């Protein structure tokens, strides 16, 4: 399973790569001028003949031209050549009467979006030959160049006038029965090429840095696995409890001192086992700290009750008897036994481990029997 930081890094890298793809993709990719061109009628296309014919069909589109500003009406509007392939250049020739002036050809407008303005051809082509073959103009003449991105027949008209001759646009596929509304490849729009390469280098550097960091983390985890573990906390507690039990005797005198030592041993064990500052806490503070740290109540509630009982008995007016001491010591053994961790591989010396095991077994044998005093539950 991937960690949360790894998932965030992978998502960031994927988002960066997607942004690079989006930046390199031109707007309107896969369509012409922002819209999908309609599929032509195959029956009409197949009926055009080898040269395309001159008759109009129901699919014949009309492109109406006009000036951007006020200008005299034109006498003639023609388009050359009358047939071509998808994306080819056509020339729109506007001729007017004598003694008038035309606006520049760049101000010519059209009401369709499948005709796009283009620059004049720089080499000798069929278009330049067709323009050279035109008869001399009587009046002014304006020539503008356009690229056609629509399959099928179409006609040009001046504003609301009668459309002219039928023009034809063929597909670029060898099989004329499968025309596709596509245009010639164009320069990709979007970010400059140098910026795209820079972002790609940044993405590769980020991927290398993430991979190197993950590799170093794995190496650190392997190194941590080889470190020795600290000895379990119950080893020290077992030795301390046996020393306390041997020095206390039968507790014929007031056992407040023994209970104080017992509470101190229990607090040190809780601090080492649960990593809580139990030595400096009361029972109430210890319960709150264990809940905040997320320790299960089943593991810590017994120690909280034991410490609360020790504190209450140590400051109680009546004298502490051997029964009180025995009950609290037995409760301490039960609490520790429920949460202690057996050493699997620790740096604990063998003598310490053997002595602690023997002490634990001795204490369990002495205090494993049932208690008759019901006050044990208070501990």
């Amino acid at each position: 399973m991937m960690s949360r930081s790894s998932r965030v890094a992978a998502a960031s890298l994927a988002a960066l790569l997607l942004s690079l793809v989006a930046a390199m993709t031109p707007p309107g990719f896969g369509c012409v001028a922002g819209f999908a061109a309609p599929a032509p009628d195959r029956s009409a296309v197949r009926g055009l003949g080898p040269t395309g014919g001159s008759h109009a069909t129901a699919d014949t589109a009309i492109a109406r031209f006009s000036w951007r500003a006020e200008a005299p009406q034109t006498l003639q509007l023609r388009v050359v050549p009358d047939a071509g392939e998808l994306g080819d250049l056509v020339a729109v020739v506007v001729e007017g009467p004598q003694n008038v002036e035309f606006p520049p050809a760049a101000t010519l407008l059209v009401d369709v979006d499948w005709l796009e303005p283009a620059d004049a051809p720089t080499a000798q082509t069929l278009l330049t030959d067709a323009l050279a073959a035109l008869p001399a103009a009587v009046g002014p003449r304006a020539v503008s160049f356009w690229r056609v991105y629509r399959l099928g027949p179409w006609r040009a008209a001046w504003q609301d006038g009668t459309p002219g001759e039928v023009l034809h646009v063929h597909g670029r596929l060898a099989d004329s029965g499968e025309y596709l509304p596509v245009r010639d490849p164009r320069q990709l729009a979007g970010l400059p090429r140098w910026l795209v390469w820079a972002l790609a280098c940044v993405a590769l550097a980020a991927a290398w840095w993430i991979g190197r960091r993950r590799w170093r983390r794995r190496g650190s985890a392997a190194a941590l696995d080889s470190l020795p573990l600290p000895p379990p906390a119950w080893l020290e507690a077992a030795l301390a409890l046996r020393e306390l039990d041997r020095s206390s005797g039968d507790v014929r005198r007031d056992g407040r001192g023994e209970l104080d030592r017992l509470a101190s041993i229990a607090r040190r064990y809780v601090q080492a086992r649960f990593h809580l500052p139990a030595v400096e806490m009361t029972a109430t503070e210890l319960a709150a700290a264990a809940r905040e740290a997320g320790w299960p109540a089943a593991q810590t509630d017994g120690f909280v009750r034991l410490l609360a009982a020790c504190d209450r008995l140590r400051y109680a007016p009546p004298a502490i008897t051997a029964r009180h001491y025995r009950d609290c010591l037995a409760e301490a053994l039960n609490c520790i036994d429920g949460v202690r961790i057996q050493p699997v591989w620790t740096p604990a010396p063998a003598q310490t481990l053997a002595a602690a095991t023997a002490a634990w077994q001795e204490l369990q044998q002495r205090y494993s029997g049932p208690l008759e005093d019901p006050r044990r539950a208070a501990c």
Side-chain angles (χ1 to χ4, degrees), residues 2-162:
M2 297 177 61
S3 62
R4 181 179 180 182
S5 59
S6 300
R7 291 195 298 268
V8 171
S12 302
L13 181 59
L16 179 58
L17 293 178
L18 289 177
S19 63
L20 289 177
V21 174
M24 296 178 65
T25 304
F29 182 77
C31 59
V32 178
F35 75 104
D41 185 2
R42 294 183 181 178
S43 61
V45 173
R46 290 172 181 156
L48 295 178
T51 60
S54 60
H55 62 281
T57 66
D59 293 334
T60 302
I62 298 178
R64 299 189 179 276
F65 292 86
S66 61
W67 295 116
R68 189 183 300 271
E70 292 293 334
Q73 291 291 331
T74 180
L75 291 179
Q76 187 176 8
L77 175 69
R78 68 178 71 183
V79 181
V80 293
D82 60 353
E85 294 181 342
L86 188 69
D88 281 351
L89 277 176
V90 296
V92 177
V93 182
V94 182
E95 296 180 354
Q98 296 181 355
N99 304 324
V100 298
E101 293 184 0
F102 273 179
T107 62
L108 197 63
L109 299 177
V110 67
D111 63 347
V112 295
D113 49 7
W114 42 267
L115 284 174
E116 294 187 3
D119 297 331
T122 57
Q124 190 74 15
T125 61
L126 294 178
L127 177 59
T128 57
D129 294 340
L131 289 175
L134 291 177
V138 178
R141 172 181 287 176
V143 181
S144 58
F145 298 93
W146 305 76
R147 289 194 181 273
V148 185
Y149 294 109
R150 183 188 183 279
L151 291 172
W154 67 286
R155 296 194 294 177
W158 182 258
Q159 294 182 349
D160 298 331
T162 303

Side-chain angles (χ1 to χ4, degrees), residues 229-235 340-349 352-354 356-357:
L229 298 176
W234 70 268
L235 301 180
R340 67 176 183 147
I341 300 174
Q342 294 292 342
V344 178
W345 183 82
T346 64
T352 304
L353 179 60
T357 303

Side-chain angles (χ1 to χ4, degrees), residues 233-267:
W234 70 268
L235 301 180
E236 179 184 355
L239 297 175
L241 289 175
R242 185 176 65 173
E243 179 65 24
L244 172 62
D245 184 62
R246 288 179 177 179
S247 62
S248 62
D250 294 334
V251 194
R252 298 184 182 279
R253 63 186 184 279
D254 191 3
R256 299 179 192 274
E258 282 74 8
L259 283 181
D260 183 72
R261 292 172 59 186
L262 176 61
S264 178
I265 294 172
R267 281 188 166 87

Side-chain angles (χ1 to χ4, degrees), residues 145-238:
F145 298 93
W146 305 76
R147 289 194 181 273
V148 185
Y149 294 109
R150 183 188 183 279
L151 291 172
W154 67 286
R155 296 194 294 177
W158 182 258
Q159 294 182 349
D160 298 331
T162 303
E165 297 181 355
V166 178
L167 310 169
H168 300 279
V169 180
H170 306 286
R172 292 181 177 271
L173 300 179
D175 183 8
S176 61
E178 292 293 339
Y179 291 111
L180 296 178
V182 296
R183 59 170 58 176
D184 286 343
R186 294 186 176 184
Q187 183 68 28
L188 294 178
L191 298 178
R193 188 173 297 275
W194 66 268
L195 184 56
V196 173
W197 281 107
L199 292 177
C201 292
V202 171
L204 291 176
W208 172 83
W209 180 79
I210 293 172
R212 182 171 179 269
R213 187 175 181 183
R214 286 177 57 85
W215 178 80
R216 293 183 64 181
R217 283 185 176 181
R218 289 181 179 178
S220 301
L224 289 176
D225 291 341
S226 62
L227 291 178
L229 298 176
W234 70 268
L235 301 180
E236 179 184 355

